[in-house]
């Protein structure tokens, strides 16, 4: 029995292109495979969002499925994820398409609700006990993504087919592997796990589809972070392709973020991106990722010195631009800043020192967004997770942009990523790695004037974002900081999610509450 | 049998204050009532958000429940909403507290997932068949909010107690009434429906608790949009209090928005608010609402004329400020605007006319946010729903602020509200009601240059936001406008939800997708 793993990209609602891609892979599998498996969500894309509530889009999906049905060669069984309506109810499911047979539907039982997904908003539950079919005497069980994680109960099976749209987070691929391994060992049968790949908004699907034999050992694995297609002989002993060890964590993150940024730009129709290059680490790393995703000629850096910008910042911004071979524009914001100060506050100075700092950050945003208006270029924000957590950024200032590529990396992880990148491509000079982080919005300002050093701060943030309670006075102070800055995060640009605790769709806290003080 | 309806406010996590309030009402009911019913969520507040995932906050709730338990007078039965853990699972439930008896728990069966709430993210389901107790031979069925809407199946009962945290939208009170009426008629028994009141972030709980007798007719109704407390003799024939007819729709909205704005300010700790008063209708209405919510002395208007501001705008801004008795500050943005234009574009003009417009809107935001930094004052955004839908606003410009009080009112509804307010308090001059809407960001600009007239636009928006498909060319164009401006809404300030289709928590569409063109 030969099974084709079609680890494809998908783009929400891109029905026609996805159908063409699917038909091409069906042709590639013809004569070589008995089955071809596509990811959860199939033609529609995943997650379907509220578009699923408009029946027209389901009709469009079904029209394309019909077109696929007309192209099925004899002997090839197609398992395609998708969404289906039955008696006014919607289901997340899989359809089995075979020449000369009516389509057979399977419905996801365990709906995803606890993290980024909201499946109970749309879907009713299916039953795993009904999600099987027979092929040459084999009982083949269908499992859809979340189904594998809940110790699923179904009769003894001969083969497990798992169709997924499972986004990347650290160690997620291990979790999938262990869950499927337990099932193969329980049923003493092989399993095929097919995952989606590519970015969709904030989410990055990492691929890494795999086949386990009946003892739970890895028979083959598809590439991570890129489309892949493999045909595997399920019951034969020989491996199809050497399995490469998973990349290091910073390397995983680098690949994930580049893929996410690339697909975000493709999907939003941007070929170019620009960003403020401050001479600090965050903007340098975002610039590197943008160049990898879009090419150096499509990235423009802006050096926007103000009254507190140091010479070192200029040197480092220029060095990064030169190393990455991008064009660097310069605009001194001091004259505008001074004029605004005099205009708004005449001779007296603002009472709150933050007023002056925010003013500088917001004038920079004005320059960057005006450039975005003039050219079709995506403004990249350079905020990191530690900043987002502590509200250490200016709303409508540095917290602006169409996307925050490193919004899910703690500051210490940004440095870790930079050091990892330096191993193969020395982008980040030693001076940059060693200089103390600063927003340079007031004289001799350092982040450590307002926050604990990141080496102390980040582990506390990790603990608190994992829903642990604060104990020490410092932890309580940071806890307070996190949950009193929700108003900034509510208006922050979207980020690329790479952890289980991102400030994205899965972060659900109120702006106003009494949990801190009561 | 006497039942006390405790239609209370609550503020997420405000455990101690809520407990004190509950104990006071228990004292008020002592000797007069057999039962006292509090809203869903009880001490914790509703919706609980991710704070519910931290076991410490559940412990705090339970500690306060214990304190209440110690204060229960003999003969009084207390039904209190809350959240409960059992074998690692969380439930949204109700606890029955009686002196000398262990607490009795009931668990919500139908979890709310389809609109603003995400209960399946946290909670497991209970069973309505178990949610009853007996009192003097009567079978009393407990229903928790969503439970009433799903044709719930449970054995013949003698009394229905419904505990709710049901937010205001148009006609919502009728929906509740009809759902409970059907149940009373089916079971031929009376029902007590207790709702929460007050704002919680974007949500406005409208109260309006009621009692139906066994034929489904209204026996009493609590006030809308304010706390209330009534003790009702459930089986007697006489009415407790005259039932006033529900206010008109614009009046409902006015009360809802004032309450929502007031509680948002209280909960975020703002006593003062400020806003740009442009001389247009949106800012005039927001200003009126702010004055009603916070008092005239706590509201400051900013008139920020630019190169395209007309004299009429100044006159109207001044008139509104005078009528509402608020202080009006003026800051001409033209010098800053001209300097920025020369600085950023030297002698040539920006190529995209939008660049210049956005620049003006963003300079105004700079002035307003700087004032917010200097004083502890909440910046109110003045965007309406038609603008949000069409992306007809500048990100980091007029689309800034801590809250959008009229972000869920279509432009035509803003006018309707203004005319309704004028009936009792003539705030909005005829000239304002009659002038053509304009952002005044370019010469002789009118909204109708870029958008269809609002009388045509708004009904189309209503249709499309209700998940209907576009048919005419104009509808398709607007559909495209809506779904290609998601990036702006993702970074918009929170709004006060008053409709079923607000651009708030229940609006789940992606920034990037192909649904429009495929």
């Amino acid at each position: 029995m030969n099974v084709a793993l079609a680890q494809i990209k998908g783009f929400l609602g891109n029905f026609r292109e996805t159908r063409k891609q699917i038909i091409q892979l069906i042709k590639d599998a013809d004569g070589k495979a008995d089955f071809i498996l596509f990811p959860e969500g199939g033609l529609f894309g995943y997650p379907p969002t509220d578009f699923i509530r408009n029946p027209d889009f389901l009709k469009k999906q079904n029209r394309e499925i019909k077109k696929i049905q007309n192209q099925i060669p004899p002997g090839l069984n197609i398992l395609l994820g998708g969404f289906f309506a039955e008696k006014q109810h919607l289901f997340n499911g899989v359809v089995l398409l075979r020449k000369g047979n009516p389509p057979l539907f399977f419905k996801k039982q365990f709906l995803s609700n606890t993290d980024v997904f909201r499946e109970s908003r749309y879907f009713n539950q299916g039953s795993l006990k009904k999600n099987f079919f027979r092929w040459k005497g084999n009982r083949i069980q269908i499992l859809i993504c979340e189904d594998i994680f809940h110790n699923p109960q179904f009769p003894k099976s001969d083969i497990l087919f798992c169709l997924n749209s499972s986004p990347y987070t650290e160690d997620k691929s291990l979790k999938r592997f262990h869950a499927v391994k337990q099932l193969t060992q329980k049923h003493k049968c092989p399993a095929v796990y097919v995952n989606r790949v590519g970015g969709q908004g904030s989410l990055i699907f990492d691929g890494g589809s795999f086949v386990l034999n009946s003892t739970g050992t890895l028979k083959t694995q598809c590439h991570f972070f890129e489309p892949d297609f493999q045909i595997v002989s399920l019951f034969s002993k020989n491996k199809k392709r050497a399995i490469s060890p998973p990349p290091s964590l910073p390397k995983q993150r680098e690949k994930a973020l580049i893929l996410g940024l690339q697909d975000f730009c493709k999907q939003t129709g941007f070929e170019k991106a620009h960003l403020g290059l401050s001479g600090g680490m965050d903007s340098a790393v975002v610039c590197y990722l943008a160049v990898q995703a879009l090419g150096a000629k499509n990235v423009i850096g802006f050096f926007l010195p103000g009254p507190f910008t140091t010479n070192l910042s200029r040197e480092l911004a220029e060095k990064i631009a030169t190393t990455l071979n991008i064009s660097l524009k310069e605009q001194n914001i001091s004259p505008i800043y001074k004029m605004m100060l005099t205009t708004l506050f005449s001779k007296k100075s603002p009472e709150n020192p933050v007023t002056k700092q925010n003013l500088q950050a917001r004038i920079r945003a004005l320059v960057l967004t005006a450039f975005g208006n003039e050219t079709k270029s995506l403004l990249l924000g350079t905020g990191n997770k530690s900043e987002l957590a502590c509200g250490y950024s200016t709303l409508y200032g540095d917290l602006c942009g169409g996307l925050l590529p490193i919004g899910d990396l703690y500051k210490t992880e940004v440095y870790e990523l930079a050091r990892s990148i330096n191993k193969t491509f020395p982008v980040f000079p030693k001076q940059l790695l060693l200089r103390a982080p600063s927003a340079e919005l007031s004289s001799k300002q350092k982040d450590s004037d307002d926050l604990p050093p990141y080496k102390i701060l980040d582990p506390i943030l990790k603990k608190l974002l994992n829903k642990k309670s604060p104990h020490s006075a410092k932890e309580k102070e940071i806890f307070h900081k996190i949950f009193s800055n929700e108003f900034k995060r509510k208006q922050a640009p979207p980020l690329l999610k790479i952890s289980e605790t991102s400030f994205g769709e899965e972060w659900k806290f109120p702006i106003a509450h009494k949990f801190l003080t009561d």
Side-chain angles (χ1 to χ4, degrees), chain A:
Chain A
M1 178 191 199
N2 292 321
V3 181
L5 287 71
Q7 177 176 302
I8 59 169
K9 279 199 182 191
F11 173 28
L12 263 183
N14 199 2
F15 294 114
R16 255 174 289 185
E17 286 305 313
T18 311
R19 180 247 305 160
K20 281 182 200 163
Q21 194 188 352
I22 287 172
I23 288 179
Q24 183 55 53
L25 292 175
I26 287 174
K27 280 182 186 156
D28 293 350
D30 185 18
K32 300 185 198 111
D34 304 295
F35 284 89
I36 180 167
L37 273 61
F38 293 94
E40 181 187 22
L43 277 153
F44 204 96
Y46 191 85
T49 75
D50 279 8
F51 279 118
I52 195 76
R53 289 179 163 179
N54 185 322
D56 279 13
F57 296 114
L58 218 49
K59 275 186 211 155
K60 277 197 183 184
Q61 171 201 262
N62 295 343
R63 209 176 298 151
E64 300 297 335
I65 290 179
K66 275 241 164 82
K67 285 184 190 159
I68 293 169
Q69 228 167 335
N70 296 335
Q71 305 267 336
I72 301 177
L76 183 59
N77 296 274
I78 290 150
L79 282 158
L80 186 62
F83 307 110
F84 307 103
E86 200 181 278
K87 292 179 196 156
Q88 309 274 320
H89 293 305
L90 288 172
F91 296 91
N92 179 359
V94 164
V95 60
L96 172 63
L97 303 171
R98 290 166 296 183
K99 195 176 178 71
N101 285 289
L104 211 57
F105 293 97
F106 310 101
K107 299 163 186 165
K108 188 172 184 173
Q109 176 171 332
F110 293 99
L111 301 178
S112 307
N113 288 303
T114 53
D115 53 11
V116 285
F117 301 119
R118 296 186 62 160
E119 295 202 317
S120 289
R121 179 173 170 85
Y122 314 108
F123 301 123
N124 280 45
Q125 283 190 289
S127 163
L128 277 174
K129 296 206 168 81
K130 295 180 182 171
N131 288 352
F132 74 97
F133 63 99
R134 293 195 180 273
W135 184 80
K136 296 193 178 171
N138 292 290
R139 184 188 189 284
I140 301 182
Q141 174 73 36
I142 303 289
L143 297 142
I144 305 172
C145 213
E146 191 81 17
D147 283 343
I148 66 168
F149 288 113
H150 296 269
N151 183 24
Q153 303 299 315
F154 50 85
K156 175 84 183 77
S157 299
D158 303 306
I159 296 162
L160 309 179
F161 282 165
C162 317
L163 285 77
N164 313 271
S165 282
S166 174
Y168 171 74
T169 57
E170 185 187 336
D171 291 335
K172 185 74 157 295
S173 67
L174 282 180
K175 279 182 198 159
R176 298 171 196 143
F177 178 81
H178 286 302
V180 178
K181 186 177 172 177
Q182 282 193 325
L183 292 175
T184 59
Q185 290 176 336
K186 181 174 171 187
H187 289 268
K188 297 188 177 59
C189 76
V192 181
Y193 182 101
V194 173
N195 194 18
R196 181 180 291 278
V197 76
Q200 176 66 51
S202 286
L203 300 180
I204 302 154
F205 297 100
D206 56 340
S209 306
F210 59 86
V211 177
L212 298 188
N213 69 21
S214 55
T215 58
T217 56
L218 196 58
K219 190 179 179 76
T220 190
Q221 181 141 44
C222 289
H223 296 307
F224 284 94
F225 304 112
E226 53 186 283
D228 202 354
F229 182 75
Q230 278 200 51
I231 299 175
V232 181
S233 169
L234 204 56
F235 294 98
S236 83
K237 290 245 160 102
N238 48 338
K239 283 185 182 174
K240 175 82 188 167
R241 191 204 277 178
I243 299 164
S244 35
S248 72
L249 189 54
K251 198 79 200 156
Q252 283 175 33
R253 288 174 175 160
E254 184 189 338
K255 287 189 169 201
L257 294 178
I258 291 168
L259 176 64
L261 181 48
Q262 205 161 45
D263 284 351
F264 188 91
C265 288
K266 265 187 211 157
Q267 293 169 0
T268 49
F270 287 100
E271 285 177 16
K272 292 170 186 292
H274 65 290
L275 75 160
L277 258 189
S278 67
M281 185 52 93
D282 295 330
S283 58
V285 167
V286 172
C287 192
Y288 166 83
L289 296 171
V291 167
Q292 297 305 308
L294 305 174
K297 70 174 196 316
N298 290 319
V299 179
I300 292 180
F302 278 82
F303 182 62
L304 304 169
F308 307 104
T309 306
T310 57
N311 284 333
L312 178 59
S313 291
R314 177 191 304 274
E315 276 169 40
L316 288 170
E318 284 171 353
K319 222 174 229 177
I320 293 291
T322 309
T323 311
L324 292 174
N325 200 23
I326 64 157
S327 112
L328 184 69
K329 289 177 187 273
E330 181 168 336
Q331 175 66 59
N332 187 353
I333 64 153
S334 295
I336 304 170
Y337 171 62
K338 277 175 199 155
M339 188 203 182
M340 288 217 69
L341 271 189
T342 359
T343 313
L344 299 186
F345 301 96
S346 53
K347 267 158 211 164
K348 62 184 195 307
S349 187
E351 282 175 30
N352 182 355
V354 171
T355 308
K356 282 178 163 186
Q357 302 188 21
N358 282 353
L359 212 49
Q360 293 164 61
R362 287 180 180 139
I363 291 168
R364 291 197 173 101
L366 257 161
V367 179
L368 293 168
T369 51
F371 182 80
N373 279 140
E374 284 295 282
T375 56
K376 193 158 165 48
S377 172
L378 178 71
L379 172 57
L380 298 174
T382 59
N384 62 55
K385 190 173 187 170
S386 309
E387 275 175 19
L388 280 175
C390 296
Y392 200 63
S393 51
T394 301
L395 200 53
Y396 323 130
D398 52 312
L399 200 57
C400 78
L403 184 71
L404 299 179
I406 58 166
D408 199 17
L409 280 180
Y410 293 103
K411 187 78 170 184
T412 47
E413 293 172 343
V414 177
Y415 280 87
E416 191 185 44
L417 181 58
R419 283 190 297 266
S420 155
I421 293 165
N422 265 357
K423 280 181 198 161
T424 47
F425 181 18
V427 179
F428 309 100
K430 208 170 182 180
Q431 278 170 301
L432 178 55
L433 284 157
L434 294 179
R435 75 183 304 203
S438 164
E440 295 194 333
L441 294 171
S442 63
S443 179
K444 290 179 186 155
Q445 185 184 37
K446 287 200 183 68
D447 289 11
S448 54
D449 303 338
D450 303 299
L451 298 173
Y454 288 109
K455 278 188 184 169
I456 293 171
L457 175 65
D458 285 352
I460 298 177
L461 290 176
K462 271 186 208 180
K463 174 184 162 174
L464 298 177
L465 296 190
N466 270 309
K467 314 279 184 304
K468 301 277 188 299
S469 294
H471 291 294
S472 69
K474 190 180 280 310
E475 284 178 6
K476 281 181 185 167
E477 192 194 322
I478 295 169
F479 190 80
H480 192 280
K481 233 186 229 303
I482 296 173
F483 292 103
S484 57
N485 277 293
E486 191 55 34
F487 72 101
K488 290 190 183 179
R489 288 186 292 266
K490 282 274 188 295
Q491 297 187 46
L495 48 73
L496 293 176
K497 174 186 167 69
I498 54 167
S499 81
E500 285 187 359
T501 58
S502 88
F503 291 116
E505 187 55 42
E506 78 273 41
W507 178 258
K508 291 292 158 200
F509 286 94
I511 288 180
H513 53 83
K514 269 274 196 177
F515 285 98
L516 305 172
T517 46
D518 216 57

